[in-house]
Amino acid sequence: MGFKDKLKDALVGILTNEELSVLPRGFQTISDVVIIKLNSILLGKKNLIAEKYLELLPSIKSVYLNSGRVKGKFRTPEKIEYLVGVEDSVVKHKEHGVIYKFDFTKIMFSMGNLSERKFLATLVEDGETIVDMFAGIGYFSLPIAKHSKPKKIYSIELNPESFKFLNENIKLNHFKDIITPIKGDSKIEVTNLSKSGVKADRVIMGVFPAPKDFIEEALTLAKVEGTIYHYEGIVDKEKYLVLFDEFKEIAEKSDFRCNLLAKRFVKSYGPGLYHTVFDIKVYKK
Ligand SMILES: C[S@@+](CC[C@H](N)C(=O)[O-])C[C@H]1O[C@@H](n2cnc3c(N)ncnc32)[C@H](O)[C@@H]1O
């Protein structure tokens, strides 16, 4: 019997037939916490329902309700509220051999990006210098440090809450020699890095909306022999090249040549829309 049927069985006699028919199909697990989303007609009974999750999932210590979106330039969850169990929203989530410590009510962690977090590390060659322009808690920097052999990763993050956990995660995972955390706006920090003589083999530009306004600064990190940029955004699947074209137009104006190496549709982001990553190799003309 699947989880939804078990949950339904446990709630027969407690919920009406209409309420039973809109019970969630799935749920998100982060460490030993379950985060559920509920149809609005179930909100009056949210704690009763959450108690059943605790009963049916013995390894889970608490249940939270997510009733918002991920918003703003810091990409923070709008509303994740405590329902039942142990009230502690700071978790140590383990994934691909990496520990991510963070407060999931204040910092996003998309399970839909799991494959991209894993895949990016496989592209990195030994000895690379990498700049992670929107590092968050280390979503990409940590798995790269764990599974590849970069020389140095500069991880830039503006949100003080995320930056605090980025630092903790670097220590927790023993990457102090590889990852240099930088607190600040990557528009400024990238320019500071290149002024101090840093050139990158790889630049990660992972934030929504696509960081078009940061391309010019990011290009100052380009090497003569070429640099790979991972440029993210949300695209209409039918017209996905629009995003690459916007990068290319800015790069060509600054006298760079672009070669599109690959693109990946990471996850669905609404009807017809996809979170997409472009791998673009850039050379000075
Ligand atoms: C949410 S992460 C996205 C990571 C990745 N796409 C993922 O989901 O695995 C983007 C991060 O960029 C940070 N950020 C936004 N604007 C920034 C800026 N101007 N400079 C540095 N960091 C910034 C946000 O605070 C956030 O932590």
Side-chain angles (χ1 to χ4, degrees):
M1 196 194 275
F3 182 79
K4 190 182 174 186
D5 292 326
K6 285 187 193 161
L7 184 65
K8 225 173 171 175
D9 277 5
L11 287 162
V12 169
I14 299 172
L15 300 189
T16 65
N17 282 345
E18 189 195 3
E19 288 166 342
L20 287 171
S21 72
V22 293
L23 278 171
R25 243 178 291 138
F27 52 87
Q28 185 187 6
T29 312
I30 298 184
S31 182
D32 47 9
V33 177
V34 154
I35 302 175
I36 57 174
K37 288 187 176 175
L38 290 178
N39 184 299
S40 57
I41 70 164
L42 296 174
L43 292 178
K45 293 178 180 163
K46 60 190 180 188
N47 286 64
L48 280 173
I49 298 168
E51 289 288 359
K52 295 297 169 197
Y53 276 80
L54 271 192
E55 278 172 39
L56 293 170
L57 302 164
S59 59
I60 290 306
K61 71 164 198 219
S62 44
V63 181
Y64 282 70
L65 174 69
N66 182 359
S67 47
R69 297 177 62 84
V70 175
K71 284 189 77 179
K73 84 168 172 189
F74 288 162
R75 312 295 303 138
T76 44
E78 202 175 12
K79 192 174 179 198
I80 299 185
E81 67 182 281
Y82 164 76
L83 293 180
V84 295
V86 179
E87 189 170 5
D88 181 6
S89 54
V90 176
V91 288
K92 280 184 186 167
H93 172 71
K94 292 192 189 72
E95 181 185 287
H96 306 136
V98 169
I99 305 167
Y100 294 94
K101 184 177 173 188
F102 63 103
D103 183 334
F104 61 80
T105 62
K106 296 181 181 157
I107 293 167
M108 60 88 63
F109 194 89
S110 170
M111 286 304 168
N113 297 350
L114 187 139
S115 57
E116 183 64 13
R117 282 193 290 274
K118 188 174 183 187
F119 181 73
L120 213 57
T122 68
L123 299 177
V124 174
E125 290 179 13
D126 292 1
E128 283 192 4
T129 297
I130 299 170
V131 178
D132 187 355
M133 286 178 62
F134 305 92
I137 58 168
Y139 305 102
F140 294 122
S141 299
L142 297 170
I144 290 174
K146 176 80 185 177
H147 299 289
S148 315
K149 292 192 181 68
K151 186 167 126 201
K152 179 63 70 194
I153 308 174
Y154 297 97
S155 303
I156 307 169
E157 175 55 42
L158 185 58
N159 178 1
E161 188 70 20
S162 297
F163 188 73
K164 180 185 87 182
F165 285 110
L166 173 64
N167 271 295
E168 279 199 51
N169 288 331
I170 292 168
K171 284 183 204 133
L172 263 176
N173 290 281
H174 311 291
F175 296 145
K176 274 169 82 178
D177 295 341
I178 306 171
I179 303 179
T180 301
I182 300 171
K183 184 175 182 307
D185 184 338
S186 59
K187 207 171 169 64
I188 298 161
E189 299 306 330
V190 149
T191 313
N192 289 343
L193 278 177
S194 55
K195 277 187 186 153
S196 70
V198 172
K199 294 284 172 200
D201 298 287
R202 191 175 298 276
V203 179
I204 304 167
M205 302 178 74
V207 72
F208 300 152
K212 187 179 175 183
D213 293 343
F214 295 73
I215 296 173
E216 231 176 282
E217 288 78 10
L219 288 167
T220 64
L221 296 166
K223 283 187 162 181
V224 179
E225 58 270 37
T227 291
I228 295 172
Y229 288 79
H230 300 287
Y231 188 64
E232 278 191 16
I234 310 293
V235 291
D236 181 330
K237 202 169 185 180
E238 302 300 313
K239 303 179 217 141
Y240 69 87
L241 278 174
V242 169
L243 204 62
F244 168 64
D245 289 340
E246 94 180 8
F247 186 100
K248 191 172 157 210
E249 195 186 323
I250 294 171
E252 287 182 345
K253 268 192 203 143
S254 308
D255 241 12
F256 289 94
R257 196 160 46 83
C258 291
N259 184 8
L260 180 57
L261 301 178
K263 66 106 189 32
R264 289 178 293 288
F265 293 124
V266 177
K267 62 177 184 290
S268 164
Y269 207 80
L273 297 177
Y274 282 82
H275 167 187
T276 305
V277 183
F278 290 89
D279 301 346
I280 307 166
K281 187 140 189 184
V282 168
Y283 305 87
K284 191 82 189 162
K285 272 188 188 163

